[in-house]
Structure formats: structure tokens, C-alpha cells
């Protein structure tokens, strides 16, 4: 299996810088095509300017566009051949974040007020809708359009399940482990498959790289579930215990609730109560989840998905340079402070 070590980060910042230089002009051109009010919100969300329009130097990590270009390179294609696909994936990602913040009630995004808090729910939703439409328009008439539209349906299904879980106490471990395949894994799988398609890969290599992206997304999500409870707000950009305050049924929580340990009954009783913002109460919930094995289980699953991702990448037989880029991105996506 392709090794994953700290050395994998050696060139990743240079790689991401190159991706931004390659993709950013096309991404900005897409946003600039929006009507002025929607363009303003999209640019704020992207970190390009403040709420009043003053230039800023923020923005996302462009990890998904980087996966698109790396996948094209992995199958022998030129990264520039996949810029259109990279922009489409980033548009869908930003669309999903705009909507997720509204549905989850998250008031901050990337250490700034979320778009809906500044511009209103309706305006933020419409901006997200417009970005989704732009993504589909970019790939209209190309082989990747079906991959993209299928991914959108999977995103809707995953997010719907996530919201449904908040209202239920009977969420099974199998359901909890399947939901992120739509909510998170689908878009990373899409990024890798679109890149492979743009690079001219056959169906087998496209499928392997899509599977690589899916496992990578699941590994990221399960690790992120841990951060949602125990993470440093300086890393997550969200208040401490934010997932517990909303009674989210993330993997550590469901693993603890279904553990059959002496801690699970108390956790079940407390989790049935209304949402709670008291830090002492939330800290007690976190301690119960940890004692019931929820954190350990989630981290174990994150590692298992990571191993499966690297095995799929190796089976796709990328060139050594392309493999190094993909592994560097994998390290950056999955190795965060737990």
C-alpha cells in the first residue's frame, strides 16, 4: 500500500498554491457571471471580500479542485484538461456549505459570520442555488454531467438523513456509517472521477479513483465527527461541543449510544432532552461518549477508511509524481488535530 507519512506534507502547500493559480481565474469568472447581489454574497462566502465589499485574502483550501487535477494527472492526463471540472466541483462544494450553514444553524464559517447571518437566509439560499446551476452549466454536454447530477442527488439524500437523525433516537450504527457516503464522500468521489474522466481514463481507473475519493471522504467525515465534539475551536472554526448542543447523531455519539455499556443508558436519557448550550452539561455528554468508546470507535473507522482509500489509489496505478501529490492531499485532508 502507498505509505502515508508526515513527509507527505513536504510539497502539499506548493501543490495547493499551484492549484489556486490554475483554478482561481476560472472560478472567479464563473462567480463574476452571477447577478450583482448574488455575486456579492458568493464572493464574501469565498473569502474574497468583506460584507461591505472591501478586498480580503481569505478563502477555502481548494482541496476538492486539487483532487480533480491530481486525478487527471494520475491517469496520464494534463491537469489543465480538468480545470472546468475542478471549478464545477468547487461551486458545488460552496453551494453545499451555504445551505448546510442554514440548515445546521451555524453562525460562523471560516472564522467569519456565515453568509446567511449577514445577508439573510433567503439570499444565501438563492446564492447557493445559483452556484449549483453554474456547476451544471459548466459540464452540460460533457461526459461528466451525469456524474455531477448523480452526486447532487446523493448530497441531498445524505443531508436529509443527517437532519432526520437529529429528530430520532433509534439511529443505527449502520445508518450512521452510511449517511456520510452521501453527505461527504460523494463529492470527493465526484472530484476524483471527474478528474479521471477529463484525463482520459478507462472505466476501471475512473471507478478506482472514485472509490479512493469515497473512502477519503468517509475518513475525513469520521475524523471531523470527533473534532465536532472534542476539537479546538481555533481548528474547527465552530464553538466547542457545537455538535452536542444540536444533538447531532454523529458517529462517536451513535457508537456510544449503541455500545451497550453502563454509560449508554445515561447518555440516551440526556440526549433525549432539549438542545442544551450549557458547557458543563455538554462536557459531561462528551465524557460519557468517550467513556462508552465513541471517540475510539470513530477514530478506528477513520483509519480503516484511510487504508482503503490508499489501497484504491495504489490499484489505479498512478505515476509516482501523481501518486505523491494524491498522498500529500490525503494527508492534509485526514491528518488534523483530533
Amino acid at each position: 500500500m502507498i505509505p502515508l507519512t508526515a513527509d507527505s506534507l513536504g510539497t502539499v502547500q506548493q501543490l495547493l498554491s499551484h492549484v489556486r493559480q490554475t483554478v482561481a481565474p476560472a472560478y472567479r469568472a464563473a462567480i463574476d457571471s452571477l447577478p450583482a447581489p448574488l455575486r456579492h454574497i458568493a464572493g464574501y462566502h469565498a473569502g474574497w471580500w468583506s460584507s461591505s465589499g472591501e478586498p480580503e485574502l481569505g478563502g477555502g483550501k481548494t482541496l476538492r479542485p486539487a483532487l480533480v487535477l491530481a486525478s487527471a494527472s494520475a491517469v496520464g492526463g494534463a491537469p489543465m484538461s480538468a480545470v472546468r471540472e475542478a471549478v464545477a466541483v468547487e461551486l458545488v462544494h460552496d453551494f453545499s456549505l451555504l445551505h448546510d450553514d442554514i440548515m445546521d444553524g451555524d453562525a460562523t464559517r471560516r472564522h467569519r459570520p456565515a453568509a446567511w447571518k449577514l445577508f439573510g437566509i433567503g439570499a444565501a439560499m438563492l446564492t447557493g442555488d445559483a452556484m449549483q446551476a453554474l456547476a451544471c452549466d459548466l459540464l452540460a454536454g460533457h461526459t461528466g454531467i451525469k456524474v455531477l447530477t448523480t452526486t447532487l442527488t446523493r448530497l441531498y439524500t445524505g443531508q436529509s438523513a443527517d437532519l432526520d437523525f437529529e429528530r430520532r433516537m433509534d439511529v443505527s450504527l449502520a445508518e450512521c456509517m452510511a449517511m456520510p457516503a452521501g453527505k461527504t464522500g460523494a463529492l470527493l468521489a465526484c472530484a476524483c472521477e471527474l478528474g479521471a474522466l477529463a484525463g482520459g481514463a478507462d472505466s476501471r481507473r475512473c471507478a478506482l479513483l472514485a472509490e479512493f475519493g469515497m473512502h477519503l471522504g468517509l475518513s475525513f467525515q469520521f475524523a471531523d465527527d470527533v473534532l465536532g465534539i472534542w476539537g479546538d475551536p481555533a481548528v474547527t472554526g465552530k464553538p466547542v461541543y457545537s455538535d452536542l448542543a444540536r444533538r447531532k447523531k454523529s458517529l462517536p455519539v451513535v457508537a456510544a449510544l449503541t455500545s451497550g455499556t453502563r454509560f449508554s443508558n445515561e447518555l440516551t436519557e440526556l440526549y433525549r432532552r432539549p438542545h442544551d448550550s450549557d458547557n458543563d452539561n455538554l462536557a459531561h455528554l462528551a465524557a460519557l461518549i468517550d467513556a462508552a468508546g465513541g471517540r475510539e470507535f470513530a477514530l478506528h473507522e477513520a483509519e480503516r477508511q484511510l487504508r482503503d482509500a490508499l489501497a484504491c489509489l495504489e490499484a489505479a496505478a498512478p505515476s509516482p509524481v501523481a501518486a505523491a501529490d494524491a498522498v500529500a492531499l490525503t494527508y492534509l485532508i485526514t491528518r488534523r488535530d483530533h
Side-chain angles (χ1 to χ4, degrees):
M1 185 170 66
I2 297 174
L4 185 68
T5 68
D7 291 340
S8 301
L9 277 178
T11 61
V12 74
Q13 295 304 327
Q14 182 179 352
L15 171 63
L16 290 177
S17 177
H18 174 71
V19 170
R20 292 187 193 103
Q21 293 171 10
T22 303
V23 176
Y27 188 72
R28 199 175 270 263
I31 297 300
D32 283 345
S33 71
L34 292 172
L38 302 182
R39 174 184 176 274
H40 180 66
I41 297 172
Y44 170 81
H45 176 70
W48 298 340
W49 46 70
S50 68
S51 59
S52 61
E54 295 298 317
E56 292 188 350
L57 297 176
K61 298 184 180 70
T62 63
L63 292 173
R64 288 154 189 82
L67 282 173
V68 176
L69 302 192
S71 296
S73 179
V75 299
M80 288 299 295
S81 68
V83 169
R84 176 182 57 239
E85 287 77 7
V87 172
V89 166
E90 190 72 347
L91 284 166
V92 169
H93 177 53
D94 275 336
F95 138 72
S96 71
L97 295 181
L98 281 164
H99 281 214
D100 283 358
D101 286 346
I102 294 168
M103 288 183 278
D104 291 344
D106 285 336
T108 60
R109 167 66 60 183
R110 296 166 182 159
H111 308 286
R112 299 194 306 166
W116 69 272
K117 290 294 290 183
L118 290 178
F119 304 104
I121 290 175
M125 287 183 64
L126 289 171
T127 301
D129 293 342
M131 297 174 83
Q132 178 187 206
L134 279 177
C136 292
D137 189 52
L138 277 173
L139 297 189
H142 297 274
T143 56
I145 186 61
K146 182 61 176 176
V147 174
L148 185 69
T149 56
T150 299
T151 297
L152 287 169
T153 301
R154 297 181 76 178
L155 284 172
Y156 308 148
T157 303
Q159 180 65 15
S160 175
D162 192 32
L163 292 172
D164 183 52
F165 288 0
E166 293 186 34
R167 298 188 290 270
R168 292 171 48 196
M169 286 300 298
D170 62 343
V171 178
S172 70
L173 196 56
E175 285 180 300
C176 185
M177 294 179 69
M179 178 272 291
K183 183 177 170 63
T184 305
L187 189 55
L188 269 69
C190 175
C192 295
E193 186 171 3
L194 287 178
L197 279 171
D202 59 26
S203 59
R204 176 182 172 277
R205 296 180 89 188
C206 284
L208 282 168
L209 285 168
E211 195 173 351
F212 161 68
M214 176 60 72
H215 287 300
L216 183 58
L218 291 173
S219 179
F220 167 83
Q221 185 59 62
F222 295 152
D224 196 62
D225 287 346
V226 172
L227 287 175
I229 299 175
W230 294 281
D232 182 349
V235 175
T236 65
K238 296 180 181 181
V240 65
Y241 305 133
S242 60
D243 283 1
L244 297 183
R246 292 202 305 273
R247 297 298 193 262
K248 288 184 74 70
K249 305 300 190 308
S250 61
L251 185 59
V253 173
V254 175
L257 288 170
T258 59
S259 66
T261 65
R262 63 187 180 89
F263 305 103
S264 58
N265 288 338
E266 182 182 357
L267 180 63
T268 298
E269 180 182 345
L270 293 174
Y271 233 68
R272 290 184 186 277
R273 297 178 183 177
H275 294 195
D276 187 355
S277 59
D278 183 274
N279 269 4
D280 288 340
N281 293 341
L282 296 176
H284 181 56
L285 286 176
L288 287 173
I289 294 165
D290 201 4
R295 171 155 46 177
E296 182 181 1
F297 183 88
L299 290 175
H300 174 79
E301 285 302 311
E303 287 297 317
R304 184 173 71 85
Q305 293 293 337
L306 177 56
R307 290 193 299 271
D308 289 345
L310 292 173
C312 290
L313 177 62
E314 185 174 34
S319 70
V321 173
D325 286 349
V327 169
L329 291 169
T330 298
Y331 192 99
L332 187 65
I333 290 168
T334 60
R335 297 300 192 190
R336 299 189 295 164
D337 183 9
H338 296 155

